[in-house]
Amino acid sequence: MLRASPPTLLNTMIRTDLANAIRALAMDAVQQANSGHPGMPMGMADIAEVLWNDFLRHNPSNPSWPNRDRFVLSNGHGSMLHYALLHLAGYDLSIDEIKRFRQLHSKTPGHPEVHETPGVETTTGPLGQGLANAVGMALAEKILAKRFNRPGFDLVDHYTYVFLGDGCLMEGISHEVASLAATLKLGKLIAIYDDNGISIDGKVQGWFTDDTPARFQAYGWEVIPDIDGHSPEAIKAALVTAAADPDRPTLICCKTVIGFGAPNKAGSESAHGAPLGKDEIALTRERLGWPYSPFEVPEAIYAAFDARAKGAAWQAEWDELFARYRQAFVTEAAEFERRLRGDLPEDFAAVAAALTAELAGESAPMASRKASQRALERLVPAIPELIGGSADLAHSNYSIVKSSRDVNTASDGGNYVYFGVREFGMSAIANGMALHGGVVPFTATFLVFSDYARNAVRMSALMHTRVIHVYTHDSIGLGEDGPTHQPIEHLASLRLIPNNRLWRPCDAAETAVAWKLALERTDGPTCLALSRQNLPPQPRDPEQLALIARGGYVLLDTIPGKIDAIVIATGSEVELAVQGARQAAAAGVAVRVVSMPCCEAFDAQSADYRDAVLPRAVRKRLAVEAARSDYWRKYVGLDGEVIGIDSFGASAPDKALYAHFGLTAERVAAALSAL
């Protein structure tokens, strides 16, 4: 992509004044809020000014223009840098919102929030994840470009720029994703490192002595070291060089002074995470030659930053290109638009119905991980935007199918990512892919290793991103690998994340429904907890099959018309619940068996439906799950019982483990009879 030349105005105006506008807005907003981080925005202002005025292609009047460059602030604590840029560039972010920095319901929260502020591409704050999101965005761009671009029609052609600091590079996730980015040859990913030598605790030389340029060179990145981060000419030259390499991501290492311009606090941790103070701000204004009042920006500077006209021109140029593309490639254009809208293919409902019927008709026991693979065999070819990957467990997660194609080698962009052993990085990259748009990512690993990924899952839920996480080996049922690999607290932990949905199907039919609903969900992530061991199919009528989607439903009433006790179970324990209920019924106890594959979906149902499944009058309740018991008290109450596991597991075959930990039909029957 040819980068546009800077406006003539910038050739005559002192660029430092433009950067000082960013500095002034940052220190004024932090001071008024009495909270925030002025140091990074003041230190990176010169870099940001050059990037945004000379390189970044975007349209403030349409922040969702598909072919815009992406800008990610991985060091998200410096949010006022981003807000100042958005305000000055002409986004819907008024000076009043700048004045309301960090206040309730403002568009300028403490860290950038993707759905709160126009122009913010991702929520950042947990250090390193912004870099991971940027890798995901660059990967999505590459996949879509291979799929849709044609000679003379570079429909998908944009860069991803990410700012990051020392803290981002100290986080382990930076290694995971930087290593993979080079392997994937993400040449349109440009990272700019704010090398100011300061973190919250002081000078980083006491705890961060990495040779960062050598580290990234070893990954296979193009590295541009020792750039003066306060020299517009040096910054511009580095960005031109970075954009010219088609295969290697680029790290530009910029030496900066944190809190640049503050005479007493610049270059120290005192500028990092606290207001400068009125006296220091007054001295800073004098030092910078900025004679304006707080929150005052001259019209000439607004005019220099204003990107609305050139943004509209860039989009108009692209719109004209797409109009010609639509005429030349009718099918491809329609698919491209559909994928950007987030709509599933028109025949998805029919595909999902056929899949559910197929798996519901299975009579032989089947591990739910295998049922998931069977689902993917139908879904992957039917949903071209479905991009999967596994953390080096493809043949254990059963996440790879016949139609899977490696994104790193497939000429059409592919649909499968070999993430390697990078659970956290994988999950955060998937978030970036989803945020980019045009793809629906899924990841796969063992459930116990969701611990590595959890903060990325949390961020996905916070950002309402459409990501599916496949977690297999969901209990002690995985057997001989032992307690290090046996999840105990993980189901409860994932259920506790707001806006996250976890499905733990009991058989192939529930697995098919879980996949359907996961794909249809557009407002947050879905986790699928799947078994290693075979699970027997449960008999259902068509009404029960339809009720699976509600998250919890009546699977069996042992004595029709009578309920003495209720047993609730998920996953592999549903069969134990059924067997135990039948044994209790033989002793005269009328038991209702409720399968609860997704607690969050069930809780979202009407009170009438929930009461119909779990009648309030029936207080004798038992929950059964091979995991921590505490969670289930919300359903069984203090006078109910839970059969679970509140210790770590052990190494043995699965049947021996279930017997050892008391997860048996006999114990279920005894507990029901004792209620």
Side-chain angles (χ1 to χ4, degrees), residues 66 139-150 156 322 325 331-346 380-387 405 407 412-415 433-441 466 522:
L139 176 57
E141 191 272 346
K142 183 174 181 176
I143 292 170
L144 292 171
K146 283 188 175 183
R147 169 64 183 88
F148 291 103
N149 288 358
R150 299 291 185 272
V156 182
F322 186 62
Y325 182 94
T331 302
E332 290 85 351
E335 183 190 343
F336 183 75
E337 290 182 302
R338 177 189 65 77
R339 290 169 66 164
L340 289 183
R341 291 194 304 269
D343 297 339
L344 293 168
E346 288 185 3
V380 169
I383 308 173
E385 61 267 39
L386 187 59
I387 311 295
R405 304 179 314 283
V407 299
D412 66 347
N415 58 11
M433 296 171 69
L435 289 164
H436 180 279
V439 297
V440 177
R466 189 185 197 175
T522 60

Side-chain angles (χ1 to χ4, degrees), residues 581-600:
R582 294 192 184 281
Q583 291 180 23
V589 182
V591 181
R592 168 169 287 184
V593 179
V594 173
S595 178
M596 189 87 70
C598 183
C599 300
E600 300 79 36

Side-chain angles (χ1 to χ4, degrees), residues 75 156 199 212 232 235 239 243 277 291 340 345 354 384 386 434 456 476 588 663:
N75 43 352
V156 182
S199 67
T212 297
I235 298 163
L239 285 164
L340 289 183
L386 187 59
I476 59 170
L663 289 158

Side-chain angles (χ1 to χ4, degrees), residues 46-285:
D46 296 298
I47 305 167
E49 185 275 316
V50 172
L51 174 64
W52 277 61
N53 282 325
D54 289 15
F55 292 88
L56 195 73
R57 293 170 68 96
H58 60 119
N59 184 4
S61 300
N62 182 13
S64 60
W65 171 41
N67 204 41
R68 68 192 182 278
D69 291 337
R70 271 60 171 181
F71 174 75
V72 175
L73 193 74
S74 189
N75 43 352
H77 56 271
S79 58
M80 264 312 305
L81 174 76
H82 204 169
Y83 301 147
L85 289 164
L86 293 168
H87 169 69
L88 293 167
Y91 284 80
D92 183 19
L93 192 69
S94 68
I95 194 68
D96 289 334
E97 292 293 344
I98 299 294
K99 293 177 180 178
R100 296 179 65 227
F101 177 57
R102 289 187 163 225
Q103 304 309 299
L104 185 64
H105 303 314
S106 75
K107 293 182 180 180
T108 50
H111 291 80
E113 302 282 353
V114 65
H115 297 301
E116 298 291 338
T117 312
V120 170
E121 300 284 0
T122 181
T123 298
T124 56
L127 293 176
Q129 285 199 65
L131 173 60
N133 296 164
V135 171
M137 293 174 187
L139 176 57
E141 191 272 346
K142 183 174 181 176
I143 292 170
L144 292 171
K146 283 188 175 183
R147 169 64 183 88
F148 291 103
N149 288 358
R150 299 291 185 272
F153 293 92
D154 289 335
L155 193 65
V156 182
D157 185 14
H158 53 263
Y159 286 82
T160 300
Y161 298 96
V162 54
F163 281 9
L164 49 90
D166 295 300
C168 294
L169 295 179
M170 288 185 234
E171 291 284 0
I173 192 174
S174 70
H175 162 70
E176 294 184 29
V177 302
S179 169
L180 186 60
T183 300
L184 295 174
K185 299 179 179 179
L186 301 180
K188 289 185 176 177
L189 173 64
I190 299 173
I192 302 168
Y193 167 33
D194 180 31
D195 184 10
N196 61 33
I198 298 294
S199 67
I200 294 175
D201 285 350
K203 295 182 179 179
V204 301
Q205 63 188 18
W207 49 88
F208 185 57
T209 58
D210 299 14
D211 186 341
T212 297
R215 172 186 163 190
F216 276 74
Q217 285 171 344
Y219 293 143
W221 285 53
E222 177 187 29
V223 176
I224 305 174
D226 299 320
I227 297 298
D228 181 353
H230 303 295
S231 167
E233 295 79 11
I235 298 163
K236 184 172 181 178
L239 285 164
V240 169
T241 300
D245 194 320
D247 294 322
R248 292 186 296 169
T250 301
L251 179 72
I252 303 174
C253 302
C254 292
K255 293 288 186 180
T256 66
V257 177
I258 192 170
F260 182 93
N264 300 303
K265 295 188 176 184
S268 73
E269 65 273 19
S270 61
H272 177 87
L276 296 180
K278 292 182 179 180
D279 292 342
E280 184 74 0
I281 287 176
L283 293 172
T284 304
R285 279 182 151 78

Side-chain angles (χ1 to χ4, degrees), residues 617-668:
V618 183
R619 305 287 295 180
K620 295 180 178 180
R621 298 182 180 187
L622 172 70
V624 187
E625 187 172 64
R628 282 296 302 245
S629 62
D630 309 61
Y631 180 86
W632 291 99
R633 288 292 171 188
K634 63 185 284 186
Y635 297 113
V636 304
L638 294 177
D639 49 350
E641 294 293 338
V642 182
I643 296 176
I645 301 178
D646 294 315
S647 66
F648 293 113
S651 178
D654 63 299
K655 289 183 172 56
L657 288 170
Y658 269 76
H660 174 74
F661 286 101
L663 289 158
T664 64
E666 290 73 22
R667 186 181 175 192
V668 171

Side-chain angles (χ1 to χ4, degrees), residues 451-523:
D451 277 346
Y452 286 129
R454 192 180 189 280
N455 197 256
V457 179
R458 181 180 188 272
M459 292 301 294
S460 182
L462 177 63
M463 296 190 289
H464 298 265
T465 57
R466 189 185 197 175
V467 180
I468 302 166
H469 301 287
V470 177
Y471 295 131
T472 67
H473 298 59
D474 69 343
S475 72
I476 59 170
L478 68 89
E480 290 87 346
D481 278 341
T484 61
H485 283 53
Q486 292 166 2
I488 300 297
E489 73 277 20
H490 302 75
L491 294 172
S493 177
L494 291 168
R495 287 173 178 140
L496 290 175
I497 298 175
N499 195 42
N500 187 40
R501 289 203 170 184
L502 183 140
W503 286 82
R504 188 173 183 239
C506 75
D507 62 6
E510 288 191 355
T511 304
V513 175
W515 261 112
K516 174 182 181 291
L517 295 175
L519 287 164
E520 290 177 338
R521 190 178 188 214
T522 60
D523 61 352

Side-chain angles (χ1 to χ4, degrees), residues 346-371:
E346 288 185 3
D347 63 347
F348 173 74
V351 171
L355 170 64
T356 302
E358 175 188 325
L359 291 183
E362 289 290 334
S363 58
M366 182 186 303
S368 51
R369 65 168 177 166
K370 182 62 179 179

